[in-house]
Amino acid sequence: MKLQSFDAHCHLDLMASPNTVAHEAAAMGLELFDCGVDPRDFASASERASSSPNVIAGVGLHPWWIADGRCGTAEVGLLCELAIRERFIGEVGLDFSPRFAGTEGNQTQAFERLCRTLSQSPLPGRVLSIHAVRAAGATLDTLESNDLLKDVPNSPTIIFHWFSGTSDEFVRARIAGCYFSVNERMLATKRGREYARQIPLDRLLLETDAPAEPDAETSARQLVDSLIRVSEVIAALKNCPEESIKSVVLENSHSIFDFR
């Protein structure tokens, strides 16, 4: 089936029936960037992606997993070991919200180690999906200090998933050429809607960040419907036809992820 839509950030491993969702999505013309949260699960995600051409598996380590102790030095090492040869990285980043107070050092060390690894082992077409909560500035600093924001061949594409930083940080990320993937929960806030309005069309992607809770029953139909609602809201914010949003998002997705 011809590709109809692209979810630039979701988590199949956290869904109750990931293989079913992947197969349903293929039948509906939906391509998925399956962002990992634990590098120990990457083998199964890769296996699923190899049998589902519409799924792109990303190797990741969510900062929450570092903050709450589910992952430590060994898992960070595994992430870096895998990332050396992988094009698609995510979900990774920093979360300095109050509930993770006291873990900023461990998170920063892990993200710095990953960025240093990626800088030393460049790959054409590499993509990073970034989580940055109350840490967009620190995230940009780390990317920049490791030469991952340079506009040169083999520099990775940086996607800020559900951007929630300050307006100055948003401008900085935009000037650096970053992409932004937008979901319904981002659009539920006044700040999120304003950022969505300001995202240049050639830097816009859509996402679901599904599921909302681990092991939640999720269907491809729910993902598609969510993406449609996001495109409708963004079209209204930008005062342009919804079909224009869908078209440019597919074009951006095609350019970044090389799907066929």
Side-chain angles (χ1 to χ4, degrees):
M1 178 178 285
K2 181 180 178 183
L3 185 71
Q4 301 294 324
S5 51
F6 191 95
D7 186 344
H9 190 106
C10 68
H11 303 287
L12 286 174
D13 278 342
L14 299 181
M15 297 179 187
S17 305
N19 293 333
T20 299
V21 174
H23 294 149
E24 290 175 348
M28 299 178 71
L30 171 64
E31 184 114 353
L32 307 169
F33 183 21
D34 177 20
C35 292
V37 296
D38 186 327
R40 293 171 292 189
D41 298 330
F42 184 62
S44 61
S46 294
E47 184 177 345
R48 179 168 49 244
S50 66
S51 62
S52 303
N54 63 309
V55 175
I56 296 169
V59 58
L61 203 177
H62 200 296
W64 293 357
W65 268 240
I66 297 172
D68 67 13
R70 276 178 282 184
C71 291
T73 304
E75 288 73 33
V76 175
L78 177 59
L79 170 69
C80 293
E81 178 185 329
L82 293 168
I84 286 173
R85 58 180 182 270
E86 294 298 328
R87 275 187 59 198
F88 301 106
I89 313 295
E91 180 171 359
V92 295
L94 301 170
D95 193 317
F96 292 171
S97 52
R99 66 174 170 146
F100 299 125
T103 70
E104 296 89 347
N106 287 342
Q107 290 187 49
T108 301
Q109 287 176 8
F111 188 55
E112 169 67 34
R113 182 175 174 185
L114 171 65
C115 289
R116 186 167 60 249
T117 298
L118 298 178
S119 180
Q120 293 170 351
S121 306
L123 278 180
R126 183 174 269 146
V127 179
L128 278 72
S129 187
I130 301 285
H131 175 113
V133 175
R134 301 198 180 188
T139 301
L140 287 163
D141 288 345
T142 302
L143 292 168
E144 188 173 50
S145 66
N146 285 281
D147 294 330
L148 297 179
L149 291 180
K150 287 188 173 180
D151 185 15
V152 296
N154 291 346
S155 284
T157 296
I158 305 297
I159 304 170
F160 275 94
H161 129 77
W162 188 350
F163 189 87
S164 61
T166 68
S167 57
D168 286 345
E169 291 165 339
F170 174 67
V171 171
R172 181 181 171 192
R174 211 173 60 197
I175 291 172
C178 299
Y179 285 76
F180 302 87
S181 53
V182 178
N183 62 45
E184 286 191 272
R185 283 175 285 177
M186 177 176 171
L187 294 175
T189 68
K190 181 178 179 181
R191 173 183 287 183
R193 290 191 295 274
E194 181 57 24
Y195 287 164
R197 188 186 68 80
Q198 294 182 38
I199 294 171
L201 284 176
D202 64 354
R203 290 286 182 262
L204 175 65
L205 298 166
L206 306 185
E207 62 160 76
T208 62
D209 196 26
E213 298 291 339
D215 297 319
E217 289 294 341
T218 310
S219 69
R221 179 75 261 169
Q222 290 173 327
L223 303 184
V224 170
D225 288 347
S226 179
L227 295 172
I228 289 172
R229 289 191 292 268
V230 172
S231 64
E232 289 173 346
V233 173
I234 293 177
L237 290 169
K238 289 183 174 292
N239 193 28
C240 67
E242 184 187 346
E243 285 305 314
S244 297
I245 298 298
K246 292 180 179 178
S247 176
V248 75
V249 166
L250 279 179
E251 184 177 338
N252 293 341
S253 303
H254 187 283
S255 173
I256 295 169
F257 292 94
D258 295 330
F259 60 75
R260 295 290 181 264

